[in-house]
Amino acid sequence: VTLEAGRKLVPTQLGTVLVQGYHRIDSDLVLPRVRSTIEQQCNYIAEGKADKEVVVKHALKNFKSKFSYFRDSIARMEELFGSSFASIESSGQVWTRCGLTKRFMNFIEGPPAR
């Protein structure tokens, strides 16, 4: 991100693509609804209107579900990166396979040309 006159923050291309990808997969990852709900639940705990353990259990269940859905939908993010950045195949040499995805990784001497 860069800071412009008037305290205006301008995201990088990478930041923009990430936010678009998060929004495409699950809008709650970029919109303030989830944080707002958790803050509201914390206020209920402070007021004695909600049980802390129940709130934490619910929040963790929600985030685990969001993580699983995001992981299962990661191809949508890859589509955005593919259309926004140079492919790794064109910027390096095949090096080894990723232990998790079994895809070939490339060793890149420096930042890829964009």
Side-chain angles (χ1 to χ4, degrees):
V1 72
T2 58
L3 180 62
E4 289 190 350
R7 295 176 40 126
K8 181 180 178 183
L9 296 175
V10 179
T12 62
Q13 182 182 8
L14 174 61
T16 301
V17 171
L18 285 170
V19 169
Q20 289 172 345
Y22 296 150
H23 190 65
R24 179 184 275 190
I25 294 171
D26 183 353
S27 294
D28 283 343
L29 297 174
V30 291
L31 300 176
R33 289 187 292 241
V34 172
R35 188 188 75 237
S36 173
T37 300
I38 289 175
E39 288 175 357
Q40 182 182 36
Q41 294 298 316
C42 288
N43 287 335
Y44 289 157
I45 292 168
E47 295 168 358
K49 295 179 181 177
D51 180 62
K52 175 187 167 193
E53 298 303 319
V54 172
V55 170
V56 170
K57 186 176 181 178
H58 175 73
L60 290 174
K61 180 180 174 186
N62 187 27
F63 280 112
K64 183 176 181 178
S65 173
K66 288 186 173 300
F67 173 80
S68 295
Y69 181 73
F70 186 86
R71 182 193 58 220
D72 295 342
S73 305
I74 198 68
R76 294 181 190 172
M77 184 73 84
E78 290 176 352
E79 290 169 5
L80 281 173
F81 275 93
S83 66
S84 300
F85 297 103
S87 69
I88 197 159
E89 290 83 12
S90 67
S91 60
Q93 296 177 337
V94 173
W95 186 47
T96 188
R97 285 188 186 257
C98 172
L100 180 63
T101 65
K102 305 299 183 214
R103 292 182 181 177
F104 281 105
M105 298 187 301
N106 292 329
F107 178 74
I108 302 171
E109 291 290 333
R114 301 276 184 225

